[in-house]
Amino acid sequence: MSVDVSRASADGPAAEAVGRGRPTGSAVERPGAAPGASRPVAALHSGAVAAGALLLLVGIGALLHEPVLIPPIAASAAIVCGVPALPLAQPRSVVGGHLLCAGVGYAALAGLGRAPWAAALGAGVAVGLMTLARAPHSPAAATTVVVVLQAPDPEVFVPLLAGAALLLVLAGTAASRARPGAVRYPVYWWRDPAGPAGCLDAGRLDAGRPDAGGRGRGRRRLPGRGPGRGGRAGA
């Protein structure tokens, strides 16, 4: 006989997250699944916080006569306020991802010039580096494109970028404590208390499924039993 643990393997990280007291949702527990329905009050709260933070950035930019609100920051606001429990919404990813991608953008600008193909290549490199740094934040890849195509002064752009990203984190932190029942944000600031298992790894999850990379990889045989027909152990 055999024991099918493919379901347990797929649910393992989510179950561990629940055991450690980390907030989870449908999008976290099952990669690729659509998020669950949100209450109108929660949706209104998220939208209001995002709009308020972005309007504040507009006001700061008007005072400094510099464009502080850029498309990547607006996309970051949507993630921080809309899905605050995901790894890419945590401060490490929001602030670190934007700064890392800005650095890649300036490196591409210096080495390859101000060209669309250089921006595309730089964005791809930035995605890979964010993955290696465990700071995934999809809007930050657009920061690389902005840097390469617009060539902003780094002495002005980088501090404003860091400040804008940090303001979004602080806005999300305050908002999560202002509404009773809201998901507590951030889940972690720099180091995930659950370790690498806290971030969903699609490759690791797929490895436990019977149809991922080979038949029967998601099955575990009981000790003392030999393999039988059809991948099952015989008596």
Side-chain angles (χ1 to χ4, degrees), residues 148-175:
V148 175
L149 297 183
Q150 301 296 326
D153 183 359
E155 295 183 359
V156 176
F157 180 79
V158 173
L160 291 179
L161 177 68
L166 182 59
L167 188 146
L168 293 181
V169 170
L170 295 178
T173 302

Side-chain angles (χ1 to χ4, degrees), residues 37-49 80-84 171-185:
S38 178
R39 295 181 179 179
V41 173
L44 181 62
H45 180 262
S46 299
V49 172
V80 170
C81 298
V83 283
T173 302
S176 71
R177 287 156 176 77
R179 185 175 68 86
V183 174
R184 184 56 60 95
Y185 176 85

Side-chain angles (χ1 to χ4, degrees), residues 70-72 97-116 118-120 122-123 126 139-159 161:
I70 58 176
H98 276 296
L99 292 179
L100 177 61
C101 290
V104 173
Y106 282 111
L109 182 63
L112 302 175
R114 189 174 170 179
T143 298
T144 302
V145 176
V146 170
V147 168
V148 175
L149 297 183
Q150 301 296 326
D153 183 359
E155 295 183 359
V156 176
F157 180 79
V158 173
L161 177 68

Side-chain angles (χ1 to χ4, degrees), residues 46-227:
S46 299
V49 172
L54 296 179
L55 286 173
L56 181 57
L57 291 178
V58 171
I60 295 174
L63 291 175
L64 299 177
H65 302 286
E66 293 288 345
V68 180
L69 177 60
I70 58 176
I73 291 296
S76 296
I79 290 178
V80 170
C81 298
V83 283
L86 292 186
L88 71 165
Q90 306 312 309
R92 174 190 177 112
S93 296
V94 177
V95 180
H98 276 296
L99 292 179
L100 177 61
C101 290
V104 173
Y106 282 111
L109 182 63
L112 302 175
R114 189 174 170 179
W117 67 269
L121 181 61
V125 171
V127 170
L129 290 179
M130 284 191 292
T131 303
L132 289 176
R134 290 183 58 208
H137 190 66
S138 49
T143 298
T144 302
V145 176
V146 170
V147 168
V148 175
L149 297 183
Q150 301 296 326
D153 183 359
E155 295 183 359
V156 176
F157 180 79
V158 173
L160 291 179
L161 177 68
L166 182 59
L167 188 146
L168 293 181
V169 170
L170 295 178
T173 302
S176 71
R177 287 156 176 77
R179 185 175 68 86
V183 174
R184 184 56 60 95
Y185 176 85
V187 177
Y188 59 91
W189 283 90
W190 180 256
R191 183 181 180 87
D192 186 352
C199 297
L200 292 178
D201 187 336
R204 187 159 57 245
L205 293 181
D206 286 341
R209 296 174 182 170
D211 58 345
R215 186 174 182 180
R217 289 180 59 182
R219 297 186 178 275
R220 180 177 59 202
R221 297 185 180 91
L222 294 178
R225 299 289 186 177

